[in-house]
Amino acid sequence: MSALAFPAPDVPHHRGRRADAVVDHLIELIVSGVVPPGRLLPVESALCEAFGVSRTVVREAIKSLEAKGLLKIRQGVGTLVSAQESWNLLDPALLTAIVRHDERYDILDQLVDVRTSLESSMAREAARKATPADIAELRDLMAQLDAAVREPDLLDDIDVTFHERIMLVSGNRLGRAIVHTVHAEARRSPRYVGHSALKHRRQSNRQHRAVLEAIAAGDPDAAASLMAEHIATSWQRRRPAGPHRPAG
């Protein structure tokens, strides 16, 4: 691949921002398939010319992409784009690009599966560990959800806080961090968030309340089952019809 054939944007003057701009553009080229796995990147001098940056900036960018699992440097060969199995899907910048190009909804479906598994497990633990103060806070959030049912944007923010609170009560810090990472990036995609009808927002609130009451009753199995049902059915309502899963 020659430098002339390598599409590159204008990059900021500040060196750190310039390296970030190179990283972002290369992520886009790789995730979109313009530069597929197994392809050699242009040599360092060609990348410098294509992006209009110094060797130091290019080296910083390559090092960052290598840390994300996107590139692998082979002595005597060059810098190769790694197989997708090596990509760090929990990297926010990479996950954002993958979701943006997820035309078949494969990654979004997998993301929902991960959320369902982890959040149902954390709801189970929350039912075991919730204190009266925790329950009171969840009831206050539930009241806010009911009050905001006709305001989708506000409702979405309170929805996230409600789920975050349950995860916090569970004490599962790693699970909460994973869900927070993948969900925060997915919510940037209009295809993930969707446009819910009022009747669906009310249904979602009924499901939230059922999870809350199971936690308040100290019923771990019910809390886990109801949380799994809530996340899965909410996605089924939002998800456009695709090649694998018809809209429900």
Side-chain angles (χ1 to χ4, degrees), residues 25-182:
H25 194 61
L26 286 172
I27 286 176
E28 181 68 18
L29 293 175
I30 292 169
V31 171
S32 68
V34 172
V35 184
R39 176 70 63 84
L40 274 171
L41 286 191
V43 297
E44 190 175 274
S45 59
L47 288 172
C48 291
E49 180 182 348
F51 286 99
V53 297
S54 68
R55 289 180 180 270
T56 299
V57 169
V58 166
R59 288 169 185 168
E60 288 178 4
I62 296 300
K63 183 177 180 180
S64 175
L65 291 166
E66 190 178 15
K68 298 176 190 297
L70 285 169
L71 298 178
K72 184 174 183 179
I73 299 173
R74 290 188 178 176
Q75 295 299 324
V77 176
T79 303
L80 288 164
V81 177
S82 301
Q84 293 183 6
E85 291 75 15
S86 299
W87 298 0
N88 176 13
L89 300 189
L90 292 182
D91 178 87
L94 178 54
L95 182 58
T96 296
I98 290 172
V99 169
R100 186 165 57 249
H101 290 282
D102 186 24
E103 299 298 333
R104 294 171 58 88
Y105 295 89
D106 293 334
I107 290 297
L108 286 174
D109 285 337
Q110 291 171 26
L111 184 151
V112 171
D113 288 343
V114 169
R115 276 196 67 204
T116 300
S117 177
L118 287 175
E119 288 203 48
S120 63
S121 175
M122 286 186 275
R124 182 187 302 276
E125 288 304 307
R128 294 186 175 122
K129 298 178 179 179
T131 65
D134 294 327
I135 300 301
E137 184 166 351
L138 286 171
R139 291 197 186 282
D140 178 65
L141 287 168
M142 190 66 243
Q144 293 179 46
L145 284 169
D146 286 334
V149 73
R150 294 182 180 274
E151 302 177 69
D153 291 339
L154 177 58
L155 185 72
D156 286 345
D157 290 340
I158 302 169
D159 185 318
V160 170
T161 303
F162 182 86
H163 283 261
E164 283 276 355
R165 183 60 192 172
I166 291 173
M167 291 189 286
L168 185 64
V169 171
S170 78
N172 187 339
R173 294 169 59 194
L174 179 58
R176 177 171 170 259
I178 293 171
V179 170
H180 184 269
T181 297
V182 299

